[in-house]
Amino acid sequence: MNNSALITITDLVKRFPMGKREFTALSNINLTFNGGEFAGIIGPSGSGKTTLLNIIGSLDVPTEGKAVVLDNSVGNLNTRQSADLRNQYLGFIFQTYNLLAVYTVFENVELPLLLLKMAASERRKLVNQSLEWVGLTDKVNSRPAQLSGGECQRVSIARAMVKEPKIVLADEPTANLDAKNSHHILQTMEKLNADLGTTFIFATHDEKVIQYLKRKISLEDGQVVADEVKG
Amino acid sequence: MLALKLAYRNLMGAKLRTWLNMIVLSMAFLVIIWNKGLLNGWDQQARRDTIDWEIGGGVYWQENYDPYDPYTIEDSHGRMSDVTLKAVEDGKLTPILIAQASIYPEGRVQSVSMRGIDPAQALLDLPANKLTGDNSSVPAMIGQRAARNFKLNVGDYVTVRWRDVNGTFDAKEMQIVHIFKTNVSTIDARVVWVPLADLQEMMQMPTETTLLVTSQEAGFQGSIPGWIFKDHYFLLTEIREMIEMKSVSGQVMFLILMSLAMLAIFDTQVLSIFRRQKEIGTHIALGMTQRQVVALFTIEGAMHAVLAAILAALYGFPLLYLQAKSGWSMPEGTDDFGMTIADIVYPSYSLGLVVGTTLIVLITTTIVSYLPARRISKMNPTDAIRGKIQ
């Protein structure tokens, strides 16, 4: 594990308006994530896992406190800067895969590289490599509708990993998968973490995922109640 | 460039929806171009026919002449000077003397405009050379409309009654020696053509004329005292105004067609933005700004117009080409409304028309695509990723 801090969260509070009142989703969060971690934010539904992940992914901003991701204070970034941060350094894996239905597997995985304005030959090389990592080289021309749930999530991992980001944020990646597929994709991510040193942060309450985590941060009612590192 | 590429991918991926929009829009394209082409063709034919048959390179009007006031006809004549006569002899001018008269076909009295023209003239397409006959009667020719109205045929004799320059009524027999067909109704309906010399003699106006038509090629230039030159712009005013009026009705059709096509695009865009929220959120998560996603959806909508133009070109160009070759038959009797219109109108499509129409459709489609796409910029990305209806 690389001990330099990639993410530093200090006194973070997130509130959402709910009618005339406010709902506090996260309260007084202080966390640090180092390079190469395989960590998970765990807790029941409504505990604030996804909200915290969204702030780390600069898709949302803190109401109070600071979240510094790769030396960028998320609350101070303009839309262009936060888009650049996501584009260059972050990868996302979603519970419902979020693959573009009209694109082929190749085109879905290629999309982040297109946004990076990479040359076609380079794109092809990286997409093929990424699909090799997840074992889907035989499905390049398939469309998401032709794939199983497990395969879709593997495409989603390939898309997140294709640009070799510093951090991958996975929000309930196994929620829609059976046990066999869940283990398969978790093993794939574990291997990528080990081989490439990519930091993985999960938001999950799935026991199958939790057993793979090297660090477990437990959230309850928007507060960190435990932060354990596996022996 | 990236937005173009992604928009193209999205459109091609949407298959049937894209095709339906493209087909509707391409049909709108074609009908707009065809309609405008038909009006252009009519305009061009009407101008050409009027120039060839009636006004040549422009007309000198005797200063009292007013075609809309029949009471001016009596005084609308003047003697041609030697210079004018020389120009007539050289084929640069052709004189037309106009007189009011009455004819009595089958005993019915009909008011006509009797016009004298030189049978040797070659300046107008009017077949004046047919105005020959025996000396027992005045040879006369009429157009098909007049022949139909007066129930006259070639070889028929008809009495003509007129007032000469001194106001004395006189009458004579005239024989219809030729019936001509023209698209220019103003030289046909209620007009009887006779040899200029005969009319000058009948009116007791030797070397006098009402109009002097100039040649299109080497027309007479300069002023003629007592005559006022009327150029094409003035003489073709009626045609121009009629085409403009027809263009307005064409614009209404254009608006209806465009509205239908734009409704389809707008509907698709609204539906896309509603149904593709996850996709919008995913684009943002992958590193696009909301503004870029708005641009992507706008380009995607606008690209319908580009693809429709290509589709329209593929099936439309052969159709329009065939139509331009074979022409469009006008309903019978259309030319009786006083319009210069051919039996078959050949549409005329200019590059300007095609490019102009394409640009208008493209700009309108872009605006219609942009309006619903603006909603994306107000979306919460975290909700969009989860496909929460916003």
Side-chain angles (χ1 to χ4, degrees):
Chain A
M1 188 191 296
N2 180 351
N3 281 329
S4 60
L6 294 187
I7 302 162
T8 311
I9 296 166
T10 317
D11 301 329
L12 186 139
V13 176
K14 179 68 186 178
R15 292 189 202 97
F16 292 107
M18 281 188 81
K20 287 180 182 173
R21 300 174 65 188
E22 280 190 327
F23 164 72
T24 304
L26 294 171
S27 175
N28 197 30
I29 307 287
N30 288 284
L31 288 169
T32 301
F33 293 94
N34 294 324
E37 284 203 45
F38 200 75
I41 303 160
I42 59 176
S45 292
S47 59
K49 306 183 297 288
T50 300
T51 305
L52 183 55
L53 213 62
N54 285 339
I55 292 172
I56 294 170
S58 80
L59 289 166
D60 208 345
V61 289
T63 311
E64 285 172 28
K66 275 179 93 171
V68 178
V69 179
L70 299 163
D71 299 325
N72 296 283
S73 177
V74 170
N76 296 333
L77 299 178
N78 61 31
T79 49
R80 177 73 265 167
Q81 288 166 328
S82 50
D84 284 345
L85 175 67
R86 291 193 296 270
N87 188 10
Q88 289 171 32
Y89 303 112
L90 306 180
F92 289 87
I93 298 167
F94 305 103
Q95 178 182 339
T96 50
Y97 330 127
N98 287 39
L99 300 176
L100 305 192
V102 297
Y103 288 10
T104 62
V105 165
F106 185 93
E107 287 167 343
N108 266 291
V109 179
E110 188 192 22
L111 189 55
L113 305 180
L114 279 171
L115 299 178
L116 285 168
K117 297 184 172 67
M118 210 172 264
S121 57
E122 184 74 358
R123 290 202 305 266
R124 181 165 293 278
K125 196 182 105 190
L126 291 177
V127 171
N128 287 330
Q129 173 189 269
S130 192
L131 288 171
E132 220 165 273
W133 289 336
V134 297
L136 281 176
T137 45
D138 55 334
K139 302 278 184 185
V140 280
N141 294 319
S142 303
R143 291 189 192 273
Q146 299 165 309
L147 303 177
S148 67
E151 285 171 329
C152 281
Q153 198 58 297
R154 277 150 66 196
V155 176
S156 180
I157 296 168
R159 183 178 64 186
M161 289 303 297
V162 69
K163 59 188 175 188
E164 295 190 30
K166 297 253 187 223
I167 304 160
V168 170
L169 304 168
D171 189 5
E172 306 278 12
T174 55
N176 287 357
L177 302 179
D178 58 27
K180 190 182 162 200
N181 273 308
S182 296
H183 286 299
H184 190 176
I185 71 131
L186 283 161
Q187 280 157 9
T188 305
M189 288 193 270
E190 197 176 41
K191 187 172 184 318
L192 289 168
N193 168 254
D195 292 350
L196 305 171
T198 309
T199 300
F200 279 79
I201 302 173
F202 297 83
T204 186
H205 61 269
D206 184 347
E207 278 304 323
K208 297 190 291 293
V209 180
I210 293 168
Q211 70 185 51
Y212 281 86
L213 299 175
K214 290 172 188 157
R215 181 183 173 193
K216 289 180 263 184
I217 300 154
S218 302
L219 280 188
E220 257 181 48
D221 296 329
Q223 289 185 310
V224 176
V225 292
D227 186 351
E228 308 159 53
V229 179
K230 210 187 235 181
Chain B
M1 198 60 199
L2 172 66
L4 276 176
K5 191 172 187 167
L6 294 180
Y8 179 75
R9 267 188 194 177
N10 291 342
L11 283 181
M12 289 299 104
K15 289 176 186 156
L16 186 64
R17 201 174 59 211
T18 304
W19 276 103
L20 284 174
N21 282 330
M22 274 166 57
I23 289 167
V24 170
L25 202 53
S26 70
M27 282 162 72
F29 254 120
L30 275 192
V31 175
I32 291 162
I33 291 173
W34 173 79
N35 180 263
K36 285 188 173 246
L38 194 67
L39 283 174
N40 279 354
W42 176 11
D43 185 26
Q44 284 171 14
Q45 274 175 267
R47 282 166 187 272
R48 197 171 48 242
D49 287 345
T50 307
I51 289 167
D52 290 346
W53 283 78
E54 189 182 13
I55 63 172
V59 183
Y60 286 90
W61 285 9
Q62 202 279 335
E63 58 192 1
N64 297 325
Y65 178 65
D66 179 358
Y68 300 108
D69 182 1
Y71 295 106
T72 63
I73 302 294
E74 207 174 318
D75 302 320
S76 305
H77 51 85
R79 195 175 289 272
M80 288 180 277
S81 67
D82 290 344
V83 177
T84 309
L85 286 168
K86 176 75 172 65
V88 171
E89 204 176 298
D90 292 346
K92 292 179 177 176
L93 291 171
T94 196
I96 295 173
L97 179 62
I98 303 177
Q100 290 287 90
S102 300
I103 59 170
Y104 297 85
E106 297 174 341
R108 295 173 292 120
V109 60
Q110 298 282 354
S111 172
V112 294
S113 169
M114 189 158 54
R115 301 189 185 188
I117 189 165
D118 182 2
Q121 73 82 30
L123 203 146
L124 299 173
D125 283 356
L126 197 73
N129 59 339
K130 304 283 186 185
L131 290 170
T132 54
D134 54 36
N135 292 330
S136 61
S137 60
V138 180
M141 65 174 185
I142 52 176
Q144 281 184 335
R145 295 173 186 81
R148 198 164 53 236
N149 289 341
F150 301 148
K151 294 187 172 60
L152 287 172
N153 292 307
V154 172
D156 287 353
Y157 285 90
V158 64
T159 305
V160 60
R161 183 169 168 266
W162 73 96
R163 279 175 74 181
D164 68 17
V165 72
N166 301 312
T168 310
F169 280 101
D170 205 346
K172 212 168 182 176
E173 277 294 278
M174 60 167 55
Q175 187 188 18
I176 306 300
V177 294
H178 183 65
I179 293 172
F180 60 86
K181 176 168 169 45
T182 179
N183 299 324
V184 186
S185 62
T186 47
I187 59 165
D188 177 341
R190 308 196 82 81
V191 176
V192 175
W193 293 88
V194 295
L196 177 66
D198 286 2
L199 187 60
Q200 284 171 335
E201 191 191 325
M202 287 156 73
M203 298 297 292
Q204 296 184 28
M205 296 176 188
T207 72
E208 292 207 19
T209 186
T210 306
L211 307 174
L212 286 160
V213 181
T214 64
S215 160
Q216 288 181 60
E217 289 83 32
F220 181 84
Q221 289 184 337
S223 63
I224 303 173
W227 270 268
I228 301 160
F229 183 69
K230 303 290 181 185
D231 61 8
H232 280 174
Y233 185 81
F234 176 85
L235 295 166
L236 295 169
T237 301
E238 277 185 28
I239 292 174
R240 195 172 51 249
E241 284 174 353
M242 189 150 36
I243 298 293
E244 276 167 10
M245 199 178 71
K246 290 281 166 197
S247 294
V248 172
S249 53
Q251 303 287 355
V252 173
M253 193 163 79
F254 174 93
L255 271 177
I256 293 170
L257 280 169
M258 278 296 284
S259 303
L260 285 174
M262 290 305 117
L263 195 68
I265 302 287
F266 189 84
D267 201 34
T268 305
Q269 286 290 93
V270 171
L271 200 68
S272 281
I273 289 152
F274 181 74
R275 284 177 51 184
R276 292 162 65 189
Q277 289 194 53
K278 261 192 190 179
E279 185 183 326
I280 292 165
T282 307
H283 279 303
I284 294 167
L286 293 180
M288 283 178 108
T289 61
Q290 272 156 306
R291 195 179 284 184
Q292 282 177 307
V293 184
V294 170
L296 171 64
F297 273 69
T298 305
I299 290 172
E300 201 177 305
M303 208 176 257
H304 281 111
V306 177
L307 296 175
I310 295 168
L311 183 67
L314 286 177
Y315 76 83
F317 277 176
L319 279 177
L320 294 179
Y321 177 77
L322 272 179
Q323 178 83 98
K325 277 276 174 199
S326 58
W328 180 263
S329 296
M330 299 310 287
E332 247 182 70
T334 310
D335 54 359
D336 287 343
F337 294 112
M339 296 183 283
T340 301
I341 189 161
D343 296 340
I344 297 173
V345 172
Y346 295 91
S348 165
Y349 312 106
S350 64
L351 186 67
L353 169 66
V354 175
V355 173
T357 309
T358 309
L359 278 178
I360 289 172
V361 175
L362 188 60
I363 291 167
T364 317
T365 314
T366 307
I367 294 168
V368 166
S369 304
Y370 171 70
L371 293 175
R374 280 182 314 170
R375 236 184 105 182
I376 294 169
S377 60
K378 294 188 182 83
M379 275 185 185
N380 180 347
T382 57
D383 287 341
I385 287 168
R386 281 178 285 170
K388 272 191 177 179
I389 295 168
Q390 296 180 65

